[in-house]
């Protein structure tokens, strides 16, 4: 694969992931996507708990908006990927265990996240130092 194609695929993956997080994060604050039917069962209990916490969803969705914008702009990409990984994993696990009908979205986000982590892997190498030394 040529370097131009690799670079273009990274940009496309970064923009797609940035759009997903930006759009769904903004939709929390300014609802513009079609309203989904009210959840039931375990999904209702899970989302109800998050809403009851008061701070959690606004905080998480705010992070998604900011980091989605960073990904779109191509700034702080490695940091954004590190912070978004737990959110991505939770999206996948939520869909696998509570709402399997929406698993495709979670899988797409996870694939984008893993691909981008691989593309930016040199930035993550210091995170895996077993005996890291403090910088004086």
């Amino acid at each position: 694969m040529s370097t131009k194609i690799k670079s273009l695929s990274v940009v496309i993956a970064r923009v797609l992931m940035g759009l997903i997080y930006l759009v769904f994060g903004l939709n929390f604050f300014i609802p513009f996507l079609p309203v989904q039917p009210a959840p039931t069962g375990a999904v209702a209990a899970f989302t109800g708990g998050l809403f009851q916490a008061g701070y959690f969803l606004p905080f998480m969705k705010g992070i998604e908006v900011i980091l989605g914008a960073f990904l779109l702009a191509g700034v702080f990409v490695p940091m954004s990927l590190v912070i978004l990984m737990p959110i991505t994993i939770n999206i996948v696990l939520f869909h696998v265990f509570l709402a399997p009908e929406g698993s495709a979205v979670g899988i797409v986000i996870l694939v984008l996240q893993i691909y981008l982590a691989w593309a930016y892997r040199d930035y993550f190498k210091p995170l895996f130092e077993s005996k890291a030394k403090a910088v004086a």
Side-chain angles (χ1 to χ4, degrees):
M1 192 184 304
S2 75
T3 305
K4 270 188 172 182
I5 292 174
K6 277 185 189 177
S7 296
L8 182 61
S9 66
V10 169
V11 170
I12 290 169
R14 182 176 50 77
V15 168
L16 281 174
M17 190 167 165
L19 278 173
I20 290 168
Y21 275 111
L22 181 68
V23 167
F24 285 101
L26 280 175
N27 189 62
F28 176 80
F29 298 107
I30 311 162
F32 52 85
L33 295 173
V35 178
Q36 301 297 316
T40 58
V43 173
F46 180 78
T47 56
L50 293 178
F51 274 105
Q52 289 296 320
Y55 75 93
F56 185 77
L57 280 176
F59 175 73
M60 183 179 71
K61 294 299 182 178
I63 292 291
E64 289 179 14
V65 169
I66 292 166
L67 299 180
F70 283 172
L71 290 174
L72 285 173
V75 297
F76 303 118
V77 173
M79 178 196 69
S80 298
L81 294 173
V82 168
I83 295 170
L84 286 171
M85 183 54 98
I87 296 171
T88 299
I89 291 170
N90 192 56
I91 290 167
V92 171
L93 293 176
F94 171 84
H95 285 293
V96 166
F97 291 107
L98 299 177
E101 64 279 357
S103 293
V105 173
I107 291 168
V108 166
I109 295 170
L110 183 62
V111 167
L112 290 170
Q113 178 97 33
I114 291 169
Y115 177 70
L116 288 169
W118 180 257
Y120 288 89
R121 65 189 174 275
D122 288 342
Y123 292 96
F124 301 119
K125 286 180 183 175
L127 296 175
F128 296 99
E129 291 289 332
S130 63
K131 302 253 184 182
K133 294 186 178 16
V135 178

